[in-house]
Amino acid sequence: MKAYELLFFVAPTIDDETRAGVMKRIDTAIAEGNGKVDNVDEWGKRKLAYEINGLADGDYTLIDFHTDPQSIAELDRILRITDAVQRHMITARPDRD
């Protein structure tokens, strides 16, 4: 398994139930790829450099995890179709393998 980190943000006005649903969906996708979440770091509300979909702020979360490289495409697909996630980025971390 390889180490990855996922950074995503949602609208700061989103309710806690929807945010928990997004986190559960991400956890499920990682677990289905035989991966495990190492750390979840909620950065909170941050100002965006420019407006995205009418938002000036975003509520950021950083997730460190290990999984097989084949499951990254499925996780990316899930994040793209999840309406609550405004933007996301998955990065390989070879220094943490």
Side-chain angles (χ1 to χ4, degrees), residues 49-66:
Y50 54 90
E51 272 194 23
I52 296 176
N53 298 335
L55 297 173
D57 298 314
D59 193 357
Y60 283 83
T61 303
L62 177 70
I63 301 174
D64 294 319
F65 63 100
H66 282 80

Side-chain angles (χ1 to χ4, degrees), residues 19-93:
R19 185 170 176 72
V22 169
M23 287 299 299
K24 179 139 179 79
R25 193 160 188 190
I26 291 169
D27 285 342
T28 303
I30 292 171
E32 286 175 354
N34 296 325
K36 76 175 186 88
V37 174
D38 298 326
N39 186 32
V40 176
D41 188 13
E42 294 187 13
W43 289 2
K45 187 174 157 184
R46 303 276 174 118
K47 188 157 185 67
L48 301 176
Y50 54 90
E51 272 194 23
I52 296 176
N53 298 335
L55 297 173
D57 298 314
D59 193 357
Y60 283 83
T61 303
L62 177 70
I63 301 174
D64 294 319
F65 63 100
H66 282 80
T67 192
D68 294 324
Q70 296 84 5
S71 63
I72 294 298
E74 177 64 15
L75 178 60
D76 186 52
R77 185 190 72 80
I78 289 170
L79 289 164
R80 275 189 274 122
I81 64 173
T82 303
D83 292 333
V85 176
Q86 298 296 316
R87 292 282 195 276
H88 71 278
M89 182 171 58
I90 303 170
T91 307
R93 294 296 307 260

